[in-house]
Structures are given as structure tokens and as C-alpha cells.
Amino acid sequence: MAVRPLVIVPDAQLRLISNPVAEADRELRLLVDDMFATMYDAPGIGLAAIQIGVPRRVITIDLARKEEAAQPLVLINPEIVWSSEERREMEEGCLSIPEYYETVERPDRIRVQYQDADLKPKILEADGLLATCIQHEVDHLNGVLFIDYLSKLKRDRVLRKFAKQAKLKEPEA
Ligand code: GNR
Ligand code: NI
């Protein structure tokens, strides 16, 4: 298991549409292991593969608190097949946009079809934080970030700040 570096905005990789997974091979198991290692290390409650630079439709989630037993969840090729009309507001953050938090409104409840780590088909109904987290991660698979739901003013302000930081970290030409 290896903690891999996180991809941070405005890295263009975060705008890629990730590719479906077709085989439950060693490469997939390695990717999932490294995603959990990276997510727990951060720490975060969810991670999409593109956040470690791998454009595959793979999500890891664990909502357990530190003092609780781990509840690892892997969603491969997830598809939200139903979402409630009822919405809920929740404060979101993203490991690819460090230390920035804003309220986002999303469907309160969802039904998601996915495959587990062995590519066995599954269905999950979720509400509350889990529903929010799954929607946030599925967005990553489609190149969408939670700041895309904010006003252009707020989004541009955040992106400018991170663009400036990235530039400062660039090696001298
Ligand atoms: O760790 C995370 N916390 C979080 C809080 C509210 C809504 C979504 C999230 S996901 C985020 C980790 C992350 O960036 N996943 O892509
Ligand atoms: Ni995120």
C-alpha cells in the first residue's frame, strides 16, 4: 500500500472523463489499495482515482469516525440511477482543493448502481452524508468539481488562488 500524491486544482487532469473498468485484475487491486492508503492518510471520507492521477471510474469511501471500525466501500463504474426531488445543503470540501469549504445543494437521496472490487453488480440506496459523498465522487469521474456549483465569482477566486500557488511552486525556468 502506498500513499500517492494528490492532484490539486487547477491541474487539467481533474477535468478528464474517467474510463470504465473492465477487469478485476492485479492493477485494479493495487489502485484500490493505494486509494485507501491515500484517503486515510489525507484524511478524507472519499476519493476518486483521478485525484491520484488515474483516469478510471473507481471510488473509495469510508465515513467511519477515527474511533470507529473502518467501513471501507469501493464503487467501480458507479451510475446514479435515481435521485430524489428533495434537496439537502451540506458543507463540502475536496482533497484536490485543500482547506476550502462551501455549502452545496444536492439531491438528498440517491440510488446508485455500481460494481464491487470483484466487479460484481450491486445497488445501494444512500441519504445524508453518504449520498453527498457519492455524488461528489461520481462528479470527479466526469471532470466536475464541487466549486462548479458555486457562483462564478467564488469559483474564479478559488481557482486564481490555487493557480498562483502552483506557479510559485513551479521550478525556475
Ligand atoms: O474528505 C472529503 N470530505 C467531504 C465532505 C463533504 C462532502 C464531500 C466530501 S469528499 C472529500 C474528499 C474528496 O475530495 N473526495 O473527492
Ligand atoms: Ni473531491
Side-chain angles (χ1 to χ4, degrees), residues 44-48 51 91-95 129 132-133 136-137 140:
I45 59 171
L47 193 76
Q51 293 182 275
E91 180 159 276
E92 298 195 19
C94 182
L95 295 174
L129 182 59
T132 295
C133 187
H136 174 118
E137 303 311 339
H140 275 302

Side-chain angles (χ1 to χ4, degrees), residues 37-161:
T38 305
M39 184 181 85
Y40 289 132
D41 178 71
I45 59 171
L47 193 76
I50 194 59
Q51 293 182 275
I52 55 169
V54 178
R56 288 277 167 196
R57 302 188 83 79
V58 178
I59 289 170
T60 56
I61 291 178
D62 194 332
L63 299 188
R65 294 162 199 277
K66 260 192 308 210
E67 66 275 12
E68 290 174 342
Q71 296 168 29
L73 183 61
V74 182
L75 284 77
I76 316 268
N77 302 328
E79 268 197 73
I80 295 170
V81 293
W82 174 82
S83 21
S84 65
E85 289 298 317
E86 201 183 336
R87 318 251 137 187
R88 160 196 304 264
E89 281 191 342
M90 211 172 272
E91 180 159 276
E92 298 195 19
C94 182
L95 295 174
S96 296
I97 314 171
E99 288 162 49
Y100 182 74
Y101 306 91
E102 261 296 351
T103 302
V104 175
E105 189 187 292
R106 298 183 188 266
D108 178 36
R109 285 175 298 134
I110 58 165
R111 187 175 306 129
V112 58
Q113 254 174 34
Y114 65 98
Q115 290 161 275
D116 68 12
D118 301 316
L119 298 193
K120 215 180 125 199
K122 301 259 186 174
I123 293 184
L124 175 65
E125 299 212 3
D127 63 7
L129 182 59
L130 181 58
T132 295
C133 187
I134 292 172
Q135 292 175 79
H136 174 118
E137 303 311 339
V138 170
D139 273 352
H140 275 302
L141 305 185
N142 296 321
V144 174
L145 300 170
F146 83 90
I147 54 172
D148 298 343
Y149 299 104
L150 308 179
S151 68
K152 181 167 162 50
L153 183 75
K154 280 186 180 173
R155 180 170 57 254
D156 287 351
R157 198 190 285 148
V158 178
L159 289 173
R160 254 202 320 276
K161 187 189 121 179

